[in-house]
Amino acid sequence: GDSVTQMEGPVTLSEEAFLTINCTYTATGYPSLFWYVQYPGEGLQLLLKATKADDKGSNKGFEATYRKETTSFHLEKGSVQVSDSAVYFCALTGTYKYIFGTGTRLKVLA
Amino acid sequence: DAEITQSPRHKITETGRQVTLACHQTWNHNNMFWYRQDLGHGLRLIHYSYGVQDTNKGEVSDGYSVSRSNTEDLPLTLESAASSQTSVYFCASSGGTDLYEQYFGPGTRLTVT
C-alpha cells in the first residue's frame, strides 16, 4: 500500500542554519504531496503542497520539490529561526484520505 | 471566521467507560476525519466520512465508532475505553476550493486509567 517515510528526529540546529528534512514515498498513481507543521499544543497546519511531478511548493521560506524519479519530497529552508521549532509531517494523498509520515521534530537554538 | 473545534481538550476516564469526543466544523466541508497521534506512529486514521450518513473505517478503527447526522459534526465514541486508547485525538475536515487540503482541530488529549 501507499506509505511515507521521513527521517528520524529530533533535528537540532542553530539559528540561521540550513534545514533539510527528508521524505520519500511509495504510491500507486500520481499522489499529491504535502508538508504539515505542528506547533506545540496545536493541531496540524498546511505548510506547503505540490500536486504533480516537478512542482515546487513554497511558503514562509520553506520549499519542497515533487521528484517523481526519486519518489521524494524533501523539505528545505535556507535559514531557520527559533520560531520554526515544531514537528513537521510529510503526507500524500490520491483521494481525500491522507497517509502521514511519523513526523520529524525540529529544535532551533538561539 | 470558519473553524474546527474539539471538546473536551483534555479528558481522563477509567477503563471500560464509554467516552465521546466531539468535533464541530463551520467550514461546511463534506469530508471529516478522526486521527490519533502517538509517538513513533505519527497520525493514524481512525474513521472518516465523506458526507451525511456516510462513515468509513480507517486503519485503526477497532474499539471506535462514529456517526454523521449533519454536515458540521462527527463525534467519535470509544465504546469501552482501554489503556491502549490513551492518545491525542485530532479531527480534520476538507472539501473547500482545494479539495485535498485538510484543516485540523486543536486536539483532545485522552488518558484512560
Side-chain angles (χ1 to χ4, degrees), chain B residues 1-108:
Chain B
D1 285 349
E3 61 178 354
I4 179 165
T5 57
Q6 293 183 235
S7 62
R9 294 295 310 278
H10 302 272
K11 173 80 175 175
I12 300 174
T13 191
E14 295 177 345
T15 300
R17 291 194 179 266
Q18 184 181 77
V19 176
T20 296
L21 309 182
C23 175
H24 179 78
Q25 52 99 0
T26 58
W27 292 100
N28 200 34
H29 286 164
N30 284 326
N31 311 317
M32 296 184 72
F33 308 84
W34 273 104
Y35 297 90
R36 58 178 290 173
Q37 183 179 27
D38 305 287
L39 204 59
H41 291 279
L43 274 77
R44 292 182 291 175
L45 184 62
I46 304 171
H47 281 286
Y48 59 101
S49 168
Y50 289 153
V52 176
Q53 302 300 334
D54 176 73
T55 61
N56 305 278
K57 294 181 179 181
E59 64 177 306
V60 290
S61 60
D62 286 350
Y64 303 94
S65 64
V66 294
S67 62
R68 186 92 180 269
S69 59
N70 59 51
T71 300
E72 296 79 19
D73 299 290
L74 187 70
L76 177 71
T77 297
L78 287 68
E79 304 292 345
S80 177
S83 58
S84 60
Q85 295 176 308
T86 293
S87 186
V88 181
Y89 292 85
F90 288 98
C91 180
S93 70
S94 72
T97 51
D98 184 333
L99 293 177
Y100 293 161
E101 180 175 347
Q102 291 195 7
Y103 294 79
F104 283 79
T108 294

Side-chain angles (χ1 to χ4, degrees), chain A residues 10-13 19 21 62 80-81 84-88 104-108:
Chain A
V11 174
T12 303
L13 296 173
L19 169 70
I21 299 178
F62 291 90
V80 294
Q81 306 299 314
D84 294 327
S85 297
V87 181
Y88 293 81
T104 303
R105 182 175 299 276
L106 170 66
K107 179 183 267 192
V108 181

